């Protein structure tokens, strides 16, 4: 019997593709009620059980004056986020979440409960950091934490802007964003969202940049977005537990959604324009598609002093296309492709890119080519060898076998 873990990671954004690969003879291990948090601020560590979500972690840590390499949504499961690499707006300050793992408790296919870290079962621990869902059921992790001041202010606040533009101004907006993303500074991150927000569900472009540093510097760094004269603009300086509250609209429960992340080597204005054409065609063909959104996320590269030793293969990727689509839209995209030739969001943003350089986040697909999730041949060979050692029958999917 095969085991697919951490339904908490997928709540509110469950992928039909993920469901279809579970199979009728398998089951999902739901750790929703398995929640505990132990913060050790003296040692800058936190121990997290399987069902803890990102908002719960951030809140508990902030009360102790600490923070961690958190994700961009309140309802993401902490453990699966870390096992899948753990990219987010704070990557430029704290590095990838997987590189902040200090230990993990994992149930292996033979039923053993193993405590893995750099000293005990180091090879397994290495595999868990970036490919953990394929090696066992990780029920607890210990994660490195940092003082709140790493966000730029003593209390852990940082600056977030919100700039809204009509879809008709896509070209000039994307050109400005293209220049912003090209500047790889440790103090910035952001999202470009093609959405149709309520109550009018009119398609728009939202740019949500983050600045980590003196709060008064944020508006100066992103003055170019103000110069475009958006139809709406706002700014906030949230505390760490409220870091992702502005994205709660994308995390609501209900409906079957597909959530994928494709890595991009660069932000191309021309491809983003084609992405807006695809979104407009989606809405013209089916108004209900307004509930879906297309996002491009960028973050700074991890600080050079963060030690990296994990199975995660995409440490050099700092731009990601995030597609959040309901089931009806997935079928609609196939119709649009046949009707107009417009490709899927992933294919659209990869135009002009050699296929051998395509990148998928490990958690973003279970059926795409394994080389896109783990392109480093040395890492892939090592993972295949470890899979034969720790899960030779494929209890945790047959990936790597």
């Amino acid at each position: 019997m095969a085991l697919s873990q951490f339904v908490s990671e997928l709540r509110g954004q469950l992928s039909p593709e993920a469901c279809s690969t579970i199979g009728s003879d398998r089951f999902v291990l739901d750790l929703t009620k398995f929640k505990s948090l132990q913060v050790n601020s003296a040692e800058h560590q936190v121990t997290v059980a399987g069902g803890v979500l990102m908002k719960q972690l951030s809140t508990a840590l902030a009360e102790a004056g600490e923070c961690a390499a958190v994700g961009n949504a309140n309802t993401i499961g902490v453990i699966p986020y870390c096992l899948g690499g753990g990219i987010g707006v704070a990557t430029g300050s704290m590095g990838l979440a997987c590189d902040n793992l200090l230990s993990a408790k994992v149930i292996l296919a033979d039923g053993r409960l193993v405590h893995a870290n750099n000293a005990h079962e180091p090879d397994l621990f290495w595999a868990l950091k970036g490919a953990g869902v394929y090696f066992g059921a990780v029920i607890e992790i210990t994660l490195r934490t940092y003082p709140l001041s790493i966000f730029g202010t003593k209390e852990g606040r940082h600056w977030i802007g919100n700039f809204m533009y009509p879809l008709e101004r896509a070209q000039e907006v994307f050109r400005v964003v293209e220049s912003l993303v090209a500047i790889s500074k440790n103090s910035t991150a952001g999202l470009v969202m093609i959405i149709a927000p309520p109550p009018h569900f009119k398609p728009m472009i939202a740019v949500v940049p983050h600045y980590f540093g003196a709060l008064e510097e944020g508006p100066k760094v992103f003055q170019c977005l103000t110069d475009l004269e958006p139809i709406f603009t706002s700014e906030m300086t949230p505390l760490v537990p409220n870091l992702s509250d502005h994205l709660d609209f994308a995390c609501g429960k209900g409906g079957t959604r597909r959530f994928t992340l494709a890595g991009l080597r660069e932000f191309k204005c021309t491809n983003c324009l084609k992405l807006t054409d695809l979104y407009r065609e989606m809405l013209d063909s089916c108004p209900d598609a307004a509930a879906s959104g297309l996002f491009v996320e960028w973050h700074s590269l991890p600080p050079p002093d963060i030690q990296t030793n994990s199975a995660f293969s995409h440490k050099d990727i700092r731009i990601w296309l995030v597609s959040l689509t309901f089931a009806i839209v997935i079928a609609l995209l196939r119709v649009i492709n046949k009707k107009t030739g417009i490709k899927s969001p992933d294919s659209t943003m990869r135009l002009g890119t050699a296929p051998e350089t395509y990148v998928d986040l490990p958690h973003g697909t279970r059926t795409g080519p394994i080389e896109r999730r783990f392109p480093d041949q040395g890492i892939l060979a090592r993972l295949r060898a470890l899979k034969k050692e720790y899960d030779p029958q494929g209890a945790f999917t047959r990936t790597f076998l």
Side-chain angles (χ1 to χ4, degrees):
M1 180 173 288
L3 181 64
S4 179
Q5 64 190 53
F6 301 125
V7 72
S8 56
E9 180 203 26
L10 298 172
R11 286 184 180 270
Q13 52 196 35
L14 186 60
S15 163
E17 174 188 319
C19 289
S20 66
T21 58
I22 290 174
S24 60
D25 60 340
R26 308 177 186 185
F27 65 92
V28 175
L29 177 62
D30 187 349
L31 299 178
T32 303
K33 296 183 179 181
F34 183 40
K35 295 180 179 181
S36 69
L37 276 166
Q38 297 177 353
V39 181
N40 184 343
S41 54
E43 298 292 332
H44 296 295
Q45 298 177 7
V46 60
T47 299
V48 182
V52 176
L53 304 181
M54 204 62 65
K55 177 87 167 185
Q56 296 161 340
L57 172 66
S58 296
T59 300
L61 286 177
E63 291 173 353
E66 296 284 295
C67 61
V70 296
N72 296 349
N74 290 327
T75 56
I76 294 176
V78 174
I79 289 181
Y81 170 76
C82 295
L83 299 183
I87 58 173
V89 295
T91 296
S93 301
M94 291 174 264
L96 298 164
C98 66
D99 288 323
N100 283 279
L101 277 177
L102 300 175
S103 66
K105 289 183 179 179
V106 54
I107 301 173
L108 299 179
D110 60 9
R112 287 183 296 145
L113 175 61
V114 173
H115 187 191
N117 54 34
N118 285 327
H120 182 67
E121 297 280 5
D123 288 335
L124 175 62
F125 186 53
W126 172 86
L128 294 177
K129 297 185 293 181
V133 296
Y134 305 116
F135 286 86
V138 179
I139 60 172
E140 183 182 282
I141 62 171
T142 297
L143 192 63
R144 183 183 297 111
T145 64
Y146 299 84
L148 286 173
S149 58
I150 197 170
F151 273 92
T153 62
K154 182 179 180 180
E155 66 274 24
R157 294 185 183 274
H158 79 287
W159 182 88
I160 304 177
N162 184 16
F163 301 86
M164 302 285 291
Y165 308 90
L167 208 60
E168 292 72 25
R169 298 188 61 196
Q171 184 168 6
E172 54 186 316
V173 173
F174 290 149
R175 281 177 176 171
V176 169
V177 173
E178 187 176 49
S179 64
L180 285 172
V181 174
I183 303 173
S184 178
K185 291 183 178 180
N186 287 341
S187 54
T188 66
L191 281 170
V192 181
M193 300 186 283
I194 305 174
I195 53 177
H200 303 297
F201 298 101
K202 184 177 180 179
M204 294 185 177
I205 299 170
V207 184
V208 183
H210 296 246
Y211 180 78
F212 302 92
L215 298 179
E216 65 273 14
E217 293 299 313
K220 299 176 185 177
V221 172
F222 295 103
Q223 179 63 40
C224 53
L225 294 172
T226 301
D227 293 342
L228 288 174
E229 299 182 349
I231 58 176
F232 173 82
T233 181
S234 65
E235 61 182 70
M236 51 187 140
T237 56
L239 294 169
V240 174
N242 307 113
L243 171 69
S244 300
D245 286 359
H246 63 290
L247 294 175
D248 280 350
F249 74 93
C251 302
K253 296 182 179 179
T256 301
R257 279 172 274 185
R258 182 178 183 180
F259 185 78
T260 62
L261 287 92
L264 306 172
R265 298 289 175 181
E266 57 183 322
F267 185 100
K268 294 183 179 181
C269 174
T270 53
N271 288 356
C272 285
L273 288 173
K274 292 182 174 63
L275 200 64
T276 61
D277 291 340
L278 174 59
Y279 193 74
R280 189 181 287 111
E281 183 69 29
M282 284 166 48
L283 296 186
D284 290 344
S285 302
C286 178
D288 287 344
S292 297
L294 302 174
F295 313 87
V296 178
E297 170 188 336
W298 86 88
H299 60 77
S300 300
L301 291 174
D305 58 336
I306 297 291
Q307 295 185 353
T308 61
N309 181 28
S310 71
F312 188 70
S313 299
H314 309 309
K315 297 179 177 65
D316 60 330
I317 301 296
R318 48 185 294 269
I319 308 169
W320 294 86
L321 170 67
V322 183
S323 300
L324 179 62
T325 50
F326 280 84
I328 189 174
V329 176
I330 298 170
L332 180 62
L333 287 171
R334 299 189 184 101
V335 175
I336 291 174
N337 177 251
K338 292 181 179 179
K339 175 183 174 183
T340 66
I342 298 177
K343 300 180 180 295
S344 68
D346 294 5
S347 299
T348 298
M349 289 300 286
R350 286 168 169 163
L351 289 173
T353 304
E356 60 269 21
T357 66
Y358 289 175
V359 169
D360 288 329
L361 193 73
H363 281 4
T365 177
R366 290 181 183 169
T367 58
I370 191 68
E371 290 78 11
R372 292 186 187 177
R373 288 174 274 167
F374 301 94
D376 185 295
Q377 291 302 305
I379 288 178
L380 185 55
R382 186 177 177 186
L383 286 171
R384 283 173 168 153
L386 290 171
K387 182 72 170 181
K388 292 178 181 178
E389 178 180 352
Y390 288 98
D391 185 20
Q393 302 302 316
F396 297 92
T397 82
R398 296 194 59 80
T399 300
F400 303 127
L401 291 177

